[in-house]
């Protein structure tokens, strides 16, 4: 297994456009997480899946954001009608037991112009 | 809402110096983890501590979990330029399924 893979690594989009990011977790991990990180901040929780079920979603998450994990494998995060404030690094992580820690991908850097 | 405060926010030292960074909260955590993140990459897990008072050593890094499981520290002995990065602590409260991260301590070690 090559770890957690995220695509694309970088995305530049115009304000108002929709974007979709993909995350391929470690195959043995049934838990998958999306976080967002801006400069000078730690990762901020967005949403969490156990297998294909989305079990938790941050109250800070706008309804322009949606995430899926069909068949409990890869996951996608879509942002509709992007705004400049959406510019950030979007991190995906997977884990087995929580206390074993997360394995993060390299992230997708989104820039909204 | 769980809140993890890390200090200092930024630390710039010379190679060979020792340093300690701190992670504090008013919440009790069932486990606490430390990660290191390099620019443009995702965080990488360094250690997990689960027992109050626990001390773990990873080469030149020493991690301690407070007796009350509300705080933790990371001590680096004889820092090297390769230690440069953002050090993040993350806690999991009992009954929660996700980690809450602090804002991190940015460490810069100059040769």
């Amino acid at each position: 297994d090559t770890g957690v893979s995220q695509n694309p690594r970088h995305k530049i989009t115009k304000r108002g456009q929709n974007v979709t990011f993909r995350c391929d977790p470690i195959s043995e991990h049934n838990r998958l997480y999306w976080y967002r990180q801006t400069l000078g901040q730690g990762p901020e929780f967005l949403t969490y899946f156990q297998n294909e079920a989305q079990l938790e979603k941050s109250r800070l998450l706008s309804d322009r954001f949606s995430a899926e994990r069909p068949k409990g494998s890869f996951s996608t995060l879509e942002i509709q009608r992007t705004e400049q404030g959406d510019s950030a690094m979007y991190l995906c992580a997977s884990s087995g037991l929580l206390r074993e820690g997360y394995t993060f991908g390299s992230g997708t850097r989104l820039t909204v112009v | 809402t769980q809140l993890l405060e890390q200090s200092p926010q930024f630390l710039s030292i010379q190679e060979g110096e020792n340093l300690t960074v701190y992670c504090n909260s008013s919440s009790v955590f069932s486990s606490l983890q430390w990660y290191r993140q390099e620019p443009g990459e995702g965080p990488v897990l360094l250690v997990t501590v689960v027992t109050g008072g626990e001390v773990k050593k990873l080469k030149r890094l020493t991690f301690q979990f407070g007796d009350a499981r509300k705080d933790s520290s990371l001590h680096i002995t004889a820092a090297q330029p390769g230690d440069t990065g953002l050090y993040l602590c993350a806690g999991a409260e009992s009954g929660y399924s996700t980690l809450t991260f602090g804002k991190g301590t940015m460490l810069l070690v100059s040769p």
Side-chain angles (χ1 to χ4, degrees):
Chain A
D1 202 323
T2 56
V4 178
S5 177
Q6 290 190 246
N7 289 288
R9 288 295 307 272
H10 303 276
K11 178 71 177 179
I12 300 175
T13 191
K14 291 184 178 180
R15 190 176 55 182
Q17 297 294 305
N18 299 343
V19 294
T20 300
F21 310 140
R22 176 176 171 127
C23 172
D24 288 272
I26 291 175
S27 56
E28 296 84 16
H29 288 171
N30 61 348
R31 301 178 187 212
L32 185 147
Y33 314 83
W34 286 97
Y35 282 75
R36 176 173 63 190
Q37 187 177 26
T38 53
L39 197 62
Q41 302 293 318
E44 176 188 37
F45 171 72
L46 294 179
T47 191
Y48 156 60
F49 290 85
Q50 186 161 329
N51 300 312
E52 67 276 8
Q54 188 175 19
L55 296 185
E56 197 171 333
K57 191 174 174 181
S58 170
R59 284 171 289 179
L60 301 175
L61 203 61
S62 158
D63 58 7
R64 297 183 296 105
F65 288 69
S66 63
E68 294 183 340
R69 192 184 183 196
K71 302 177 183 178
S73 56
F74 71 92
S75 176
T76 58
L77 176 68
E78 181 183 16
I79 309 174
Q80 296 182 328
R81 305 181 303 281
T82 52
E83 302 172 355
Q84 286 189 321
D86 297 331
S87 295
M89 172 78 89
Y90 289 83
L91 293 164
C92 175
S94 67
S95 76
L97 295 175
L98 182 59
R99 65 169 49 191
E100 293 172 352
Y102 291 175
T103 300
F104 280 92
S106 296
T108 294
R109 168 73 66 187
L110 173 66
T111 303
V112 181
V113 297
Chain B
T1 302
Q2 311 162 51
L3 183 64
L4 282 163
E5 296 185 356
Q6 292 192 243
S7 61
Q9 287 185 308
F10 183 76
L11 191 55
S12 180
I13 62 172
Q14 296 293 313
E15 182 176 4
E17 292 184 29
N18 301 332
L19 66 117
T20 302
V21 298
Y22 301 92
C23 174
N24 295 288
S25 176
S26 57
S27 300
V28 175
F29 293 101
S30 59
S31 67
L32 194 139
Q33 298 170 4
W34 285 91
Y35 292 77
R36 186 166 76 95
Q37 184 177 24
E38 296 188 12
E41 297 295 329
V44 175
L45 178 68
L46 296 173
V47 77
T48 300
V49 286
V50 298
T51 304
E54 182 177 3
V55 177
K56 278 192 174 179
K57 291 192 176 183
L58 186 67
K59 296 184 180 178
R60 294 177 293 101
L61 278 59
T62 301
F63 304 86
Q64 185 163 7
F65 201 13
D67 290 341
R69 291 185 289 134
K70 292 183 178 182
D71 56 88
S72 181
S73 64
L74 159 58
H75 181 80
I76 301 179
T77 303
Q80 299 177 359
D83 295 327
T84 292
L86 179 67
Y87 288 81
L88 295 159
C89 67
E93 278 190 71
S94 180
Y96 282 76
S97 301
T98 61
L99 292 174
T100 297
F101 284 81
K103 292 184 177 182
T105 293
M106 183 65 214
L107 172 65
L108 175 63
V109 183
S110 302

